[in-house]
Amino acid sequence: MSPPAPRARTVAAVVVLLALHFAMAVGSKLHESTTSDEIAHVTGGFAYWKLHDYRLQPENGNLPQRWVALPAVVAGRRFPDLDQPYWRKSDVWVMGHEFFYETGEDHFPMLMWARAMTGLFSVAVGALVFCWSRRLFGTAGGFVSLAFFAFSPTFLAHGGYATSDVCIALFMLASIGAWWRHLGRPGAGPFVLSAVLFGLACVAKFSAVFLIPMMALCAVAHAAAQPGQLGRIARSAAGHAAVAFAVIWAFYGFRYSAFNPALPAADQFIVSWGDMYAYTGTVGRLIHFLAGIRALPEAFLYGAAYVFYTSQSRGAFLNGAYSLMGWRSYFVWAFALKTTLPFIAASVIAAGVAVRTRIRPAATLGRRLAGLLPLTPLLALFSVYWLVSITSHLNIGHRHLMPIYPVLFILAGALGPWLARPLGWRACLVAGLIAWHVGESLRVAPHYLAYFNELAGGPARGSEHLVDSSLDWGQDLPGLKAWLAAHRRPGEDAYLAYAGTGEPRYYAIPAKRLAYINGFHEDEPYIPLGPGLYCVGATMLQQVYSSVRGPWTIDLEKEYEFLRTFEPMFQAYAQDPATRARLSAELSPEKWTQSRDRFMHLRFARLCYYLRVRRPDAVIGYSIFIYRLSAEEVRAATGGSLRDWSSLIERSGDGAGG
């Protein structure tokens, strides 16, 4: 029997690498709880399919939400009752909590199917990376690119979550590539492919708007290389706009209103249109105008306004500092700390090689640079997206950089020719970088979201630099349950401070809710503190979204001391109905609730200042820190004088590493 043809071996090798990537990305989530955004994506997508109502989570792309919810639709999952206030005011977080945890059906199979759907998007990114790199740099280059992609901690993390980040990375890359191909190959086929992909990108995520300057740069480069094309390019651009217009309307059922009139009446979006107009300036006025003439579906316009509204200011954390407006250096740091060092090195070397080998020896500068034209769409995507990223105020996660990674994976293929025989030191360098990159992924597995490179001090030091979706997205409740089952002492109290949409009750975690960020409809109860296990997520530990972020000031200490005098009343108010009735007659329940919540937030912030310098007794998945605190530690950290608190911090600082 003759050996298989080289093409068959190539296809088989690509399939094996992509299948391995899928298995690692999705399989690593088998022991992870729902991350913060997944609950909203699946719930919103289900409502789009089954209810034809588009108010839930319109800001994160209709396409990826429909895609990840498709298995739940096929399985006939039960949706919560619509005759309730949370449906009427479009609260996707409460509706999502009910959909996942309160219908009587186990949410986890639905969640894993949704994650697998994103895994397919990630596989498609890998296939596109290989094909593009192979066309530029040959088969060896394609495999170099594919190896870096397949073992990228970034894509292994987000390629298994039911969110929109991988989806926009795929359609942004595919769209700019198809546009460039269409510019060079006039005809109906390339046009249709490019226009449809652009339309799908528009419903993948609102960052698709940045494709417009990317495509403009490609058009300018093409027109400069082939004069006389401006008329055709203008007509094509108009055609792309028309197709995108049709795709957007199709995804919203060709209906302007986001509200399905056949369903129980709904009052508003989760934030009113009026607030959008008030806080979005010129952009808001433009969207208001488009809504007035019904140029696009209401939910699409609202989603665009909401994205702009929420990006104006947002709590952010970077290298121990806090900000509401972000930093121009945020994404530079995020890339530098969460990308493997071998891939950073390979990207720098490959970029130089790709440019140098494509500059032709010719008399004129224009002809010398003509060889760089095939790199135009990649360079346009990379440069525009980086420019937008560094000027963004929305500094909440490394995942927002995902569209640039496929560009770097493709360019890394420029190192492929170095693997040609006879093998030399360059081949050893490439093989060594790939092996190191693979080793980094294996070392952090299965906690890919928590990957940080050696510059950051590794995953164990990640929380000192970035949190939220760069490290702690609420994914480690199963690991916490297992640890408590093995290490919690009989009768020992456990306290949980958690930022995420997972439900501790689902995992039967025996912990008192110390502090939560979940947006659900449960009141924050008063919890007296005592000795025991304090389980604190990295995002909560760093107080990123707390009103008490930043330095602990004398004014905060004075406010805390004042509110602490009411602690016995807060406890009695929570536990004794007669006392509650008497106190409510003296001061409204709203005032008692506000004062109690402020006290607990200050108390927790004061505790976190201590915990940040105290070495944890255990760490779950690099995202949940566990401290076994004595009665004296708890008293000094939350109930002692300022002198007691400061002394405790000073004693704990030695050898704490933080």
Side-chain angles (χ1 to χ4, degrees):
M1 181 180 293
S2 59
R7 180 179 177 84
R9 289 198 297 267
T10 297
V11 171
V14 170
V15 169
V16 168
L17 278 173
L18 291 177
L20 182 60
H21 172 81
F22 180 89
M24 291 189 296
V26 178
S28 64
K29 310 306 185 292
L30 286 169
H31 301 288
E32 288 191 1
S33 46
T34 311
T35 60
S36 291
D37 287 8
E38 287 180 298
I39 196 170
H41 279 71
V42 178
T43 303
F46 191 92
Y48 303 161
W49 281 116
K50 294 291 288 184
L51 304 176
H52 306 291
D53 190 279
Y54 308 108
R55 294 173 294 111
L56 300 182
Q57 191 77 350
E59 68 272 18
N60 263 309
N62 190 297
L63 168 60
Q65 293 180 88
R66 283 182 179 271
W67 180 253
V68 299
L70 192 55
V73 173
V74 172
R77 295 281 304 194
R78 185 187 312 158
F79 201 71
D81 179 24
L82 304 186
D83 188 17
Q84 58 166 298
Y86 300 106
W87 170 256
R88 291 197 295 273
K89 64 182 181 181
S90 310
D91 194 329
V92 69
W93 304 105
V94 175
M95 295 300 297
H97 189 271
E98 293 181 3
F99 185 40
F100 270 53
Y101 304 110
E102 300 176 33
T103 63
E105 298 178 323
D106 187 3
H107 79 283
F108 199 70
M110 173 179 70
L111 177 62
M112 286 307 301
W113 276 109
R115 289 169 167 177
M117 296 296 280
T118 300
L120 295 178
F121 274 150
S122 196
V123 166
V125 173
L128 184 54
V129 163
F130 174 80
C131 293
W132 199 326
S133 177
R134 186 187 187 197
R135 188 170 69 247
L136 290 174
F137 307 113
T139 300
F143 277 110
V144 169
S145 297
L146 184 56
F148 278 117
F149 162 80
F151 292 94
S152 164
T154 298
F155 271 83
L156 288 172
H158 296 283
Y161 288 136
T163 56
S164 56
D165 300 296
V166 172
C167 181
I168 188 58
L170 169 63
F171 283 101
M172 190 171 282
L173 182 69
S175 180
I176 197 66
W179 168 250
W180 180 252
R181 181 174 180 269
H182 161 61
L183 290 176
R185 297 184 185 180
F191 166 79
V192 170
L193 177 64
S194 177
V196 169
L197 285 172
F198 176 66
L200 292 175
C202 290
V203 289
K205 205 170 184 179
F206 287 99
S207 53
V209 69
F210 305 126
L211 273 168
I212 296 174
M214 296 173 194
M215 295 167 75
L217 287 176
C218 290
V220 169
H222 177 76
Q226 297 187 30
Q229 298 284 309
L230 289 178
R232 183 178 75 85
I233 293 172
R235 290 191 298 273
S236 178
H240 276 68
V243 172
F245 182 80
V247 169
I248 292 169
W249 276 102
F251 269 80
Y252 291 90
F254 294 102
R255 189 183 75 223
Y256 171 74
S257 176
F259 299 71
N260 185 346
L263 299 177
D267 301 324
Q268 62 174 65
F269 289 98
I270 195 167
V271 176
S272 71
W273 267 115
D275 286 340
M276 294 294 177
Y277 299 144
Y279 293 102
T280 51
T282 303
V283 172
R285 287 191 292 273
L286 173 60
I287 293 174
H288 189 195
F289 169 76
L290 294 174
I293 63 173
R294 301 195 171 195
L296 288 165
E298 181 184 25
F300 183 84
L301 293 173
Y302 178 89
Y306 190 88
V307 168
F308 189 75
Y309 167 77
T310 55
S311 67
Q312 298 308 293
S313 65
R314 182 78 175 267
F317 174 81
L318 174 65
N319 296 335
Y322 302 85
S323 175
L324 289 175
M325 302 303 292
W327 304 265
R328 290 189 181 275
S329 62
Y330 178 87
F331 286 109
V332 176
W333 276 108
F335 179 83
L337 298 177
K338 285 190 65 67
T339 307
T340 71
L341 293 182
F343 182 59
I344 292 176
S347 298
V348 172
I349 298 169
V353 171
V355 171
R356 188 180 69 252
T357 56
R358 288 191 163 270
I359 295 179
R360 301 170 179 172
T364 64
L365 179 62
R367 291 187 177 183
R368 284 172 58 84
L369 298 180
L372 295 177
L373 272 177
L375 303 180
T376 301
L378 298 173
L379 298 179
L381 193 164
F382 186 86
S383 57
V384 170
Y385 201 86
W386 254 120
L387 178 63
V388 170
S389 297
I390 62 176
T391 58
S392 171
H393 297 303
L394 191 63
N395 293 173
I396 61 173
H398 166 252
R399 62 192 170 91
H400 288 164
L401 279 181
M402 288 192 71
I404 73 165
Y405 277 89
V407 173
L408 297 178
F409 294 141
I410 292 169
L411 291 178
L415 302 180
W418 287 8
L419 297 175
R421 296 181 182 276
L423 301 179
W425 68 268
R426 291 179 178 178
C428 292
L429 174 62
V430 175
L433 290 174
I434 293 174
W436 184 6
H437 178 77
V438 171
E440 290 289 285
S441 289
L442 296 178
R443 180 172 62 87
V444 77
H447 307 293
Y448 298 114
L449 186 66
Y451 177 78
F452 284 82
N453 64 29
E454 292 82 354
L455 293 178
R461 302 290 295 272
S463 64
E464 299 171 20
H465 305 283
L466 298 167
V467 289
D468 202 309
S469 61
S470 298
L471 170 66
D472 170 30
W473 223 5
Q475 71 273 15
D476 281 318
L477 289 182
L480 175 62
K481 177 187 178 181
W483 190 94
L484 289 173
H487 300 281
R488 180 169 171 252
R489 297 166 182 167
E492 187 174 34
D493 285 331
Y495 303 85
L496 175 62
Y498 172 73
T501 56
E503 177 51 68
R505 284 189 289 264
Y506 172 81
Y507 295 100
I509 293 175
K512 301 176 182 179
R513 293 190 344 165
L514 181 59
Y516 260 46
I517 296 177
N518 57 19
F520 304 150
H521 53 295
E522 297 182 22
D523 187 31
E524 246 185 292
Y526 169 80
I527 299 292
L529 302 185
L533 295 170
Y534 284 74
C535 313
V536 185
T539 304
M540 302 299 290
L541 184 66
Q542 297 294 0
Q543 294 283 286
V544 181
Y545 299 119
S546 167
S547 59
V548 200
R549 68 177 71 86
W552 185 263
T553 64
I554 293 297
D555 288 341
L556 289 175
E557 179 67 21
K558 289 180 178 178
E559 182 185 6
Y560 179 60
E561 289 178 355
F562 171 74
L563 289 173
R564 198 167 63 199
T565 62
F566 295 93
E567 185 171 9
M569 295 184 185
F570 295 144
Q571 184 167 359
Y573 190 92
Q575 298 175 352
D576 182 14
T579 302
R580 184 184 310 120
R582 178 176 59 81
L583 293 175
S584 295
E586 300 174 2
L587 194 66
S588 70
E590 291 77 14
K591 290 292 185 182
W592 279 110
T593 299
Q594 292 172 7
S595 299
R596 176 205 64 192
D597 290 351
R598 180 62 175 172
F599 163 74
M600 291 195 301
H601 294 164
L602 287 167
R603 182 183 65 176
F604 181 61
R606 202 175 190 258
L607 174 64
C608 285
Y609 271 90
Y610 166 57
L611 297 181
R612 286 198 291 269
V613 299
R614 184 194 188 278
R615 189 180 301 278
D617 294 278
V619 181
I620 310 300
Y622 304 106
S623 77
I624 298 179
F625 298 86
I626 299 179
Y627 306 86
R628 180 169 269 124
L629 301 185
S630 66
E632 174 57 27
E633 283 180 288
V634 174
R635 188 203 65 78
T638 65
S641 66
L642 186 60
R643 181 188 297 274
D644 295 336
W645 180 70
S646 300
S647 176
L648 180 68
I649 291 175
E650 290 173 3
R651 292 196 308 271
S652 298
D654 295 335

